[in-house]
Amino acid sequence: MEYEYDAGLYDVAVVGAGHAGIEAGLASARLGCSTLVFTINLDAVGNCPCNPSIGGTAKGHLVREIDALGGEMGRTADACFLQSRMLNLGKGPAVHSLRCQIDRRKYSEIMKHKLELQENLYLKQAEVVDLRRRGEGWQLVTRMGAVYTVQAVVLATGTFLGGRVYVGEVGYDSGPDGMFPAGFLSEPLQKLRLQLHRFKTGTPARVLRSSIDFSDLEVQKGDNPVIPFSYDTQTPGKNRAVCYVSWTNEKTKDIILKNINRSPLYSGRISGIGPRYCPSIEDKIMRFRDKPRHQLFIEPCGLNTEEMYLQGMSSSLPEEVQLQFYHTIKGLEHVQIMRCAYAIEYDCVDPLQMDATLEFHDQPGLYGAGQFNGSSGYEEAAAQGIVAGINAALKVQKRKPMILDRASSYIGTLVDDLVTKGVTDPYRMMTSRSEYRLVLRQDNADERLTPIGRKVGLISDDRWERFQQKEEQKKAEIQRAQKTVFPPSDTLNQILVSRETSPVHTGVHLSELLKRPQLNYEVLTPVDKERPDYPTAVFENAEIELKYAGYIKRQKADIAEMRRLEGKLLPRHFDYTEVTGLRSEAQEKLNRVQPANIGQASRISGVSPADISVLLIWLTKEQSK
């Protein structure tokens, strides 16, 4: 820059105020660090440029875990939800996930105000155009020439970094929702030898509510009672909106196929790799040509707007083609587009360059979070944001880092996947990614992570007291269920027969009854006269632990073995070509990832069980020297 001026000293700087940047900034500031949060546009703090919802399958687990650590996403979602539903209730409790429609403008407004009110946090509208090392710290330079000196930096640039929007043959530099892109920062990052990828995502059109014919659409209502995301939400609100379901058809398919050469995805104009598990409608049509129809959800964007969101219909086809194929869909025959669908390309980093704290191996004090790390989704971003923000603050304070392993949380699984396996397309959290999902349920996120949040310093005394009380109640209830015996009775046997399970002829423990798949606390209420007056969540936790006790015990044994391997630490910044017996591919991958321990090394793609055996033998010899 031709002109620069000294803008001051801070402990931590966060570049970006989306979902990752918010959690990073709040965590750092709440831990006592002077924290500067940059955003290109103050009106875009906490923006939801894609779907107006929080949570969903596996994502709901992440929101609960963020909240259990002391994060903000769950509390804010509870404050502005329009409709709440627990997904996958027809399956086991390991995959039950909360999802809510939110008022996207209210969500953004609440989050911005929380940042503005937070002690030690300074919110600044500015584009960061340069990042450079100065001694043991960093300097950030804005487009106005302001130079801020900090000890640690969290990069949470979302889809703004090198952002470029595509709609058919039209392409232009832009961030999401018509915001300015971050057009200068990629080059300084490459000078720091950060390896960048080019990824792509997309968003559906927003359409005018009054132009939709709802008369023949399937209505999707919320659940009652409403279950909140946050453990701090004592009185959840009520559902205030419904969603609708419709389907594409053969006419939709024909229009898309006739115009597929006009899609920048298929014309070659987009080089970025898109999300595998959230494809555009043209991607769905091309990949599954034999499928006669695809589902879409029509969702409200807020209470004070007439915009409706078409979930499942992202596209980069030209605007006039979008209008044509939307008009073939039931309920949308006369729909008016308010914002057309678009694809957006952006720069992100190769996360293999980071460790489990989300700090770069070769750049001390530099952290990444969110879509900058190659992930997709608000919840994945926020989860990484709180990890990066906590660890940046702990580094400044010269405290031990917070590392969440795969057995602790979905957050730990997400981070471990990113830093050991890397990404070839935008990473999305799914329940199937966790080998310990029966232990990592959304109902026990507080049990797993609140003690960690307390140790770090993000859990208040009041909340800690409530958490401890709940844990004591759960323990007492499990003991009561194991001791309580119901004698055979007409009432009990009528319940059992009505639930298609065997009647009893001798006394039976409550815990044994709860192990039957057909039974639960609610069904057994007429005979469980001595049940204490505990919160519903206590009984939910207790029932799951009793019903699945054998499976949970087996999974905890697997966790103990994983942690045994993770206790075998490997040297950092080590050249693995010095280990005789390792295959060349394993040497290359180990040198690139620099695993912290044997457990992490065993999860690296290209490192075989035989390579792990060689490493174990080598490590034993090294430790005996």
Side-chain angles (χ1 to χ4, degrees), residues 40 127 143 159-164 173-176 179-184:
I40 284 180
E127 181 184 353
R143 202 165 184 179
T159 59
F160 284 83
L161 190 63
R164 186 168 178 80
D173 294 340
S174 178
M179 301 288 178
F180 288 120
F184 299 91

Side-chain angles (χ1 to χ4, degrees), residues 92-147:
V95 295
H96 293 175
S97 294
L98 191 61
R99 181 182 190 269
C100 68
Q101 296 298 134
I102 58 167
D103 187 316
R104 65 190 290 261
R105 288 293 172 224
K106 189 174 181 183
Y107 185 93
S108 176
E109 176 187 323
I110 291 172
M111 280 299 200
K112 177 173 180 279
H113 202 209
K114 285 181 177 179
L115 293 183
E116 291 168 339
L117 292 175
Q118 179 59 51
E119 186 181 359
N120 298 322
L121 192 148
Y122 308 89
L123 186 60
K124 176 76 174 177
Q125 178 170 301
E127 181 184 353
V128 176
V129 297
D130 197 7
L131 177 65
R132 58 204 186 201
R133 181 165 284 290
R134 281 297 178 269
E136 295 185 357
W138 294 89
Q139 285 188 337
L140 301 96
V141 185
T142 72
R143 202 165 184 179
M144 301 301 175
V147 180

Side-chain angles (χ1 to χ4, degrees), residues 440-451:
L440 306 184
R441 306 182 311 274
Q442 54 105 35
D443 66 276
N444 68 355
D446 58 340
E447 179 184 335
R448 294 181 281 110
L449 295 178
T450 296

Side-chain angles (χ1 to χ4, degrees), residues 527-546:
V527 294
D528 191 10
K529 305 291 188 183
E530 304 301 319
R531 185 181 300 172
D533 185 21
Y534 291 157
T536 303
V538 171
F539 294 108
E540 180 185 9
N541 285 169
E543 181 181 319
I544 292 171
E545 292 203 13
L546 289 164

